[in-house]
């Protein structure tokens, strides 16, 4: 196989973040207008095993052998070699490009892993199934997150809306009527591993209270899935507000997130909430298509460093 390519979308978590780590469901959707793309090209004449990696977005140009063994790209490539029982791959060049903003909660690292795993396995002549791609990407997620639920690698690998419960086969589902989201970035970097660890501490201190939060979120997620399947946007907006309220109680919001959520609602969004680990990162607002620009502008005025308008479904 001389040259192969593969791509993977970004993602947002619509409902259920944090509670999903504790066995409750979450709903996440792909954001297809941003993508990671990987091209693997044979380098005839070079010795077997010589793999060159080019990732201009992060200024990386290196041979696989020169990168640390716990580098996410190395873990992904080695995971593919192990899964396919290949000891030494043919010489090749791996080029990684992405339009997904880095470290923004839109799944840029996950999408790179998924596209890389897919392209490299294809290059080695053995297309992996979506389940296998997702499982290998999960191994890479563990480097970033420690104890990830698996929702991110699942939604990015399937590239479909997913209803996800940790440890269970994911359920993909249909969006009956496409809906519009405005994603607002606080510009505040907030590692997911830290907010996940703080929720864990709080849960250990007051388990009954946090279990009740997780149960409340689980109920919201089930209603949200029904609302998405029924195309009931206004109900979905209310459910976003309710989910955000529980996340506030869990102390994973922040003044910047609050400013954006409030601005979105004031500009006429049906609902708004933080998305992902919280404390910074992104929020999402559900809007009617004709209000999307207005809400995006309000978010920028309230401090968003970037807004993305995207159609889901
Ligand atoms: O920060 P993100 O977008 O990767 O989302 C993290 C979601 C959590 O539920 C907080 C953690 C997890 O592993 O599911």
């Amino acid at each position: 196989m001389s040259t192969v390519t593969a791509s993977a979308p970004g993602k947002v978590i619509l409902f259920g973040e944090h509670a999903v780590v504790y066995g409750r469901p979450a709903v996440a959707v792909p954001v297809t207008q941003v993508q990671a793309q990987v091209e693997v090209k044979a380098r005839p004449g070079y010795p077997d095993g010589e793999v060159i990696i080019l990732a201009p977005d992060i200024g990386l140009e290196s041979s696989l052998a020169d990168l640390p063994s716990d580098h996410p790209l190395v873990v992904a490539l080695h995971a593919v070699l192990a899964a396919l029982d290949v000891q030494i791959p043919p010489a090749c060049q791996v080029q990684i490009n992405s339009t997904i903003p880095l470290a923004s909660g839109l799944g840029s690292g996950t999408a790179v892993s998924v596209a890389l795993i897919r392209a490299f396995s294809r290059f080695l002549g053995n297309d992996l199934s979506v389940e296998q791609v997702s499982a290998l990407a999960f191994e890479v997620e563990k480097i970033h997150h420690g104890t990830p639920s698996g929702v991110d690698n699942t939604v990015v690998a399937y590239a479909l809306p997913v209803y996800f419960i940790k440890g269970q086969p994911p359920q993909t589902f249909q969006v009956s009527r496409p809906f519009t989201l405005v994603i607002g970035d606080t510009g505040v970097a907030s590692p997911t591993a830290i907010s996940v660890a703080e929720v864990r501490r709080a849960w250990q201190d007051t388990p009954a209270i946090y279990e009740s939060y997780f149960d409340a979120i689980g109920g919201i997620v089930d209603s949200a899935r029904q609302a998405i399947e029924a195309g009931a946007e206004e109900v979905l907006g209310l459910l976003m507000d309710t989910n955000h309220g529980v996340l506030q109680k869990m102390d994973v919001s922040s003044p910047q997130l609050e400013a954006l959520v409030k601005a979105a609602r004031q500009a006429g969004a049906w609902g708004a909430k933080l998305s992902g680990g919280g404390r910074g990162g992104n929020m999402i607002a559900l809007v009617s298509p004709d209000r999307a620009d207005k809400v995006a502008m309000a978010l920028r005025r309230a401090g968003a460093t970037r807004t993305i308008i995207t159609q889901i479904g």
Side-chain angles (χ1 to χ4, degrees), residues 56 179 191 259 271 274 290:
F179 58 88
L274 71 83
D290 57 340

Side-chain angles (χ1 to χ4, degrees), residues 72-154:
L73 300 176
V74 177
V75 175
L77 291 169
H78 281 161
V80 173
L81 292 174
L84 298 182
D85 203 16
V86 173
Q87 311 299 326
I88 302 175
C92 59
Q93 174 182 296
V94 176
Q95 165 107 25
I96 301 167
N97 290 95
S98 175
T99 56
I100 307 173
L102 289 171
S104 65
L106 290 177
S108 61
T110 314
V112 165
S113 300
V114 166
L116 179 59
I117 290 163
R118 215 166 249 154
F120 195 48
S121 58
R122 199 167 285 165
F123 175 76
L124 296 171
N126 203 333
D127 263 318
L128 296 172
S129 68
V130 65
E131 291 85 358
Q132 287 171 308
V133 171
S134 182
L136 297 188
F138 184 61
E139 295 306 311
V140 187
E141 293 290 291
K142 287 182 191 165
I143 307 173
H144 302 292
H145 286 205
T147 55
S149 64
V151 64
D152 286 4
N153 50 284
T154 302

Side-chain angles (χ1 to χ4, degrees), residues 11 13 16-21 105-107 141 145 147-152 190 192 195-196 275-278:
K11 61 87 205 172
I13 297 181
E17 49 275 273
H18 287 293
V20 69
V21 176
L106 290 177
E141 293 290 291
H145 286 205
T147 55
S149 64
V151 64
D152 286 4
S190 174
T192 299
S195 66
V196 168
S275 171

Side-chain angles (χ1 to χ4, degrees), residues 214-254:
F214 301 151
D215 284 341
I217 291 176
I220 292 165
V221 172
D222 285 337
S223 305
R225 177 181 174 170
Q226 284 169 18
I228 294 170
E229 286 176 323
E233 290 113 333
E234 291 182 31
V235 177
L236 201 58
L238 283 175
L239 290 166
M240 278 190 178
D241 290 346
T242 315
N243 194 160
H244 185 73
V246 184
L247 291 164
Q248 280 174 322
K249 289 189 201 160
M250 288 164 58
D251 198 25
V252 291
S253 190
S254 71

